[in-house]
Amino acid sequence: MKQINAVILDWAGTTVDFGSFAPTQIFVEAFKQTFDIDISLAEARIPMGLGKWQHIEALGKLPEVDARWRQRLGRSMNRQDIDALYQAFMPLQIAKVVDFAAPIEGVSQVIAGLREQGIKIGSCSGYPRAVMEVLAPAAALRGYAPDHWVATDDLSVGGRPGPWMALQNVIALGIDAVAHCVKVDDAVPGISEGLNAGMWSIGLALSGNEFGATWQEYQQMSTAEIERRRALATEKLYAAGAHYVIDTLVQLPGVIDEINQRLASGERP
């Protein structure tokens, strides 16, 4: 039987930082601190999954943000503005990211189970290397350490939605075929990344950016609100092309079993 032999995992909202709050809050702070312009957490989430410079660029193109920017500065955001915001973002993010390094509930156990099956654990992120060099060891101290990680600025060709970070994991881990890989992400650019790399792509509807709640908020949320948010996230991730959408990484082993059966019958992503 042809089997999945590697999973490529996103970081914030997938393996650590339930709700993906570390990057979103810092974007809000960087805009306010640098240009005294307010953006909402909801706006900060819209381009999530892109590299952080590209994320800032995309935020500046949102009609509502562009209107505020023009009202404040008399023009739209330019490249120098993006650079200034990125320079403000980086030290704030580096300082804050360790506070969001704990694995999401059940992640460590899932990773251990996958490794028992001989599955390798790759990862990639919209975070640049300077942030990952702080986050990765902090997460390892708390029980999560993939076999390999790639940062969004590691490769000259760029990051998501291109396939390059995922494919760099394939090379580093020595995987024999991209069809034997699963890419898991909580945001649309990460789903596209997996599809563009020729992998099975799985979206996370509850633990990540699209659901947009902390673990504590989720625990206190009404069933109706959970279902509303889950439905919206699921629809968006399937619309992006995800082969499967699950709540959290806890459900991944069951999906891998199903994919193994599909591979055995000759199916490919």
Side-chain angles (χ1 to χ4, degrees), residues 10-20 104 186 204 207-209:
D10 178 47
W11 282 76
T14 297
T15 53
V16 300
D17 186 8
F18 191 100
S20 193
I104 291 168
D186 63 298
L204 300 181
S207 66
N209 182 65

Side-chain angles (χ1 to χ4, degrees), residues 111-151:
I111 298 301
L114 294 176
R115 284 182 165 141
E116 286 178 2
Q117 299 176 48
I119 294 174
K120 295 180 180 180
I121 311 299
S123 69
C124 50
S125 176
Y127 284 135
R129 173 160 284 271
V131 176
M132 286 302 302
E133 286 176 341
V134 175
L135 175 58
L141 288 173
R142 293 161 174 80
Y144 171 62
D147 300 318
H148 187 68
W149 59 262
V150 181

Side-chain angles (χ1 to χ4, degrees), residues 174-254:
I175 306 305
D176 59 356
V178 292
H180 298 167
C181 297
V182 167
K183 173 71 207 307
V184 186
D185 208 292
D186 63 298
V188 166
I191 298 300
S192 299
E193 173 187 30
L195 296 173
N196 288 333
M199 300 176 179
W200 301 90
S201 289
I202 300 176
L204 300 181
L206 196 147
S207 66
N209 182 65
E210 300 303 335
F211 195 87
T214 66
W215 175 252
Q216 292 75 18
E217 288 169 342
Y218 164 64
Q219 294 289 95
Q220 297 168 9
M221 201 173 283
S222 69
T223 300
E225 180 63 9
I226 290 171
E227 289 305 315
R228 185 189 73 81
R229 292 190 183 213
R230 178 191 279 125
L232 289 172
T234 299
E235 181 181 5
K236 188 169 183 178
L237 293 165
Y238 271 130
H243 295 96
Y244 298 87
V245 178
I246 56 180
D247 281 351
T248 73
L249 213 65
V250 170
Q251 296 166 290
L252 180 61

Side-chain angles (χ1 to χ4, degrees), residues 10 26 33 41 52 66 73 98 171 178 187 190 205 233 237:
D10 178 47
I26 300 303
Q33 174 181 296
L41 275 175
K52 300 315 174 194
D66 180 56
L73 300 175
V98 293
I171 294 168
V178 292
L237 293 165

